Amino acid sequence: MAEPLRVGIAGLGTVGASVIRLLERQGAALAARSGRAVKVTAVSARDKSRDRGVDVSNMVWFDDPVALAKSSDIDLFVELIGGDEGPARAAIEAALSSGKSVVTANKALLAKHGMALAKMAEDKRVALAFEASVAGGIPIVKTLREGLAGNAISRVYGILNGTCNYILSRMELEGLSFEECLKDAQRLGYAEADPTFDIGGFDTAHKLAILTSLAFGTAVDAEAVHVEGIQSITLADLKAAEELGYRIKLLGVAQRTDKGIEQRVHPTMVPKSSSIAEVMGVTNAVTIDADAVKELTLVGPGAGGMATASAVVADIADIAKGIRSAPFGLPSSALEKASRIPVQRHEGGYYIRLTVHDRPGAAAAIATRMAERQISLESIMQRKPVPKRGAAASASTEAVPVVLITYATSESTIREALEAVVKDGYIAGAPQVIRIERE
Ligand code: HSE
């Protein structure tokens, strides 16, 4: 058997400790499959004295991850520190410069510096592997890069953030407020250190930028992603969606259109009959539309120590076997520049919720504004007035929720029509607009 592969791990949080445990547990099987033992020989973390439930006493300890990355005690550097700059970036660059392969779970760093790092890895003829960076335990990177190599992909979309899906699922199923669900997600350890990353859609955007590159052969460009978070979603929207046969999910969508590759992250209405609609809680899911395979959906744990460690260990196993793919599937010089398509040019169906002053002519005026722009309505639903607490308001002046579902049209057309509706003076407050993603 060949010499053992000596692994150095920087970052001993939940994922780092799980990688050590998993390598111990699967050590014999991994060695048999790779023809080579895998041994963690060195580690680095902030606090040496902390008990992480794993024995690191026989590993060389480094306070500085960059020193670990450069060390001759290791052949492979595993970065689990996080952050798109600082020690994570410095350590990965040091490892690649010194000719070592790198495994990372760091989506934010790849979204920002993925191209430069891929180029460095190619120049040094070493691997840069990142299965754990998108959708945790779901092997989506390998699926897109290797498993679907014989396909032309037309769309990739998915639930890529467990925190958002957990919040939307609990709001829908238990009628809880957004704030309550977010607090629970944080208490259970699903949310990122800064929850805006999750709920604002940025974590999903980072992951989507990586998937787009793998699926469409474009350079990773997180700036090309249109991003909206879930903060504006109310219980009224979730209830209306349910009645109309939809669920609301925060989706990342990358789609080939005649204008280029659209990349967008936003709350989305998905038909309840779709595979993705059934995915509840912290679970992630990715659906791929491709010519040969048609539709493929992968569902699984998107976060958590062992699930993420599963992806990290899969990358380590590839490197132990001597497999070195171009990080994003093509040599970095062959990746095309991603198009930046303004969301106004998006075409699709729309859900619109208006709060309408209940007066004769209101519904007709709204319908006219839509018809003037050739927007065709699939359904229109008016609800009884929401009773105001403690006040017996007169029915004639009360505002009522009106929900419209449109057939496919363009975003700019919808926005123009709504501007006209607002000017007509029949509605109170800003319209709620949610894009529909069809199967
Ligand atoms: N905060 C992320 C999520 C963790 O909720 O999915 C995994 O990237």
Side-chain angles (χ1 to χ4, degrees):
M1 205 177 256
E3 287 287 293
L5 178 76
R6 299 167 308 156
V7 177
I9 301 178
L12 292 179
T14 319
V15 178
S18 299
V19 169
I20 294 178
R21 258 184 232 119
L22 204 51
L23 286 173
E24 274 168 19
R25 199 158 94 192
Q26 289 296 104
L30 279 170
R33 287 183 185 147
S34 319
R36 187 175 187 192
V38 174
K39 203 167 176 295
V40 181
T41 49
V43 289
S44 168
R46 256 186 298 199
D47 179 3
K48 192 173 180 181
S49 62
R50 208 177 118 199
D51 179 14
R52 299 170 170 90
V54 285
D55 183 10
V56 293
S57 58
N58 57 349
M59 300 166 193
V60 183
W61 181 274
F62 286 82
D63 287 322
D64 174 11
V66 175
L68 166 62
K70 289 181 183 160
S71 156
S72 53
D73 291 330
I74 63 165
D75 308 306
L76 163 65
F77 179 66
V78 178
E79 184 273 314
L80 300 170
I81 304 167
D84 61 5
E85 295 292 345
R89 183 182 178 195
I92 290 182
E93 287 177 352
L96 294 174
S97 311
S98 62
K100 293 185 185 78
S101 287
V102 169
V103 173
T104 177
N106 194 331
K107 62 252 164 167
L109 181 128
L110 289 163
K112 197 165 172 187
H113 302 296
M115 292 301 92
L117 295 175
K119 169 102 182 39
M120 276 181 87
E122 282 166 26
D123 290 349
K124 290 287 183 180
R125 308 182 71 77
V126 293
L128 170 66
F130 45 84
E131 185 62 72
S133 64
V134 184
I138 302 178
I140 186 63
V141 172
K142 250 192 255 282
T143 298
L144 288 171
R145 197 178 50 204
E146 277 95 31
L148 296 177
N151 286 256
I153 295 173
S154 50
R155 181 171 61 160
V156 182
Y157 62 104
I159 297 169
L160 302 173
N161 184 273
T163 302
C164 288
N165 207 49
Y166 171 85
I167 292 173
L168 293 173
S169 303
R170 285 202 69 200
M171 283 175 74
E172 181 191 325
L173 299 177
E174 298 172 49
L176 297 174
S177 73
F178 176 85
E179 289 73 22
E180 252 175 297
C181 299
L182 172 60
K183 264 199 208 119
D184 280 352
Q186 285 174 306
R187 187 174 50 77
L188 294 165
Y190 303 143
E192 298 289 313
D194 173 359
T196 9
F197 256 75
D198 294 302
I199 61 177
F202 305 107
D203 177 71
T204 302
H206 290 152
K207 294 167 180 169
L208 183 70
I210 295 169
L211 293 187
T212 306
S213 173
L214 292 160
F216 297 104
T218 51
V220 177
D221 183 4
E223 299 291 313
V225 184
H226 172 81
V227 189
E228 292 170 31
I230 61 167
Q231 304 92 321
S232 67
I233 301 301
T234 64
L235 288 172
D237 296 317
L238 291 160
K239 195 162 182 318
E242 152 89 61
E243 286 178 40
L244 292 160
Y246 292 91
R247 279 216 159 102
I248 302 175
K249 300 288 182 193
L250 183 82
L251 291 193
V253 185
Q255 182 175 14
R256 186 180 290 288
T257 72
D258 51 11
K259 301 165 205 110
I261 312 292
E262 249 184 34
Q263 296 187 66
R264 45 193 168 83
V265 172
H266 49 74
T268 312
M269 308 272 285
V270 290
K272 260 199 225 162
S273 56
S274 61
S275 319
I276 217 130
E278 289 171 20
V279 177
M280 302 300 269
V282 283
T283 305
N284 281 196
V286 187
T287 296
I288 302 145
D289 295 335
D291 60 350
V293 81
K294 303 295 177 216
E295 188 194 282
L296 180 70
T297 299
L298 285 82
V299 180
M306 271 298 168
T308 310
S310 160
V312 171
V313 169
D315 281 341
I316 296 175
D318 273 356
I319 291 163
K321 285 179 207 155
I323 296 173
R324 180 172 60 83
S325 315
F328 293 94
L330 284 173
S332 50
S333 58
L335 294 166
E336 281 175 33
K337 195 170 158 29
S339 27
R340 294 191 176 187
I341 306 174
V343 77
Q344 287 76 10
R345 297 180 72 190
H346 169 68
E347 290 189 8
Y350 287 81
Y351 156 102
I352 299 158
R353 180 170 55 78
L354 304 169
T355 308
V356 179
H357 296 301
D358 202 2
R359 290 201 299 261
I366 296 165
T368 303
R369 293 307 186 192
M370 299 286 159
E372 280 170 358
R373 290 163 182 83
Q374 309 300 317
I375 299 170
S376 183
L377 299 178
E378 184 185 293
S379 65
I380 175 159
M381 181 170 89
Q382 177 170 331
R383 283 272 154 264
K384 285 188 193 142
V386 184
K388 283 190 189 128
R389 273 194 210 154
S394 107
S396 63
T397 58
E398 259 187 293
V400 291
V402 171
V403 173
L404 315 170
I405 299 277
T406 78
Y407 288 111
T409 180
S410 77
E411 178 113 3
S412 54
T413 311
I414 281 287
R415 300 285 171 189
E416 273 171 32
L418 289 175
E419 225 171 89
V421 168
V422 170
K423 275 199 192 128
D424 287 339
Y426 286 107
I427 70 163
Q432 170 72 298
V433 179
I434 304 178
R435 297 175 194 91
I436 298 173
E437 197 69 31
R438 310 246 180 231
E439 277 171 283

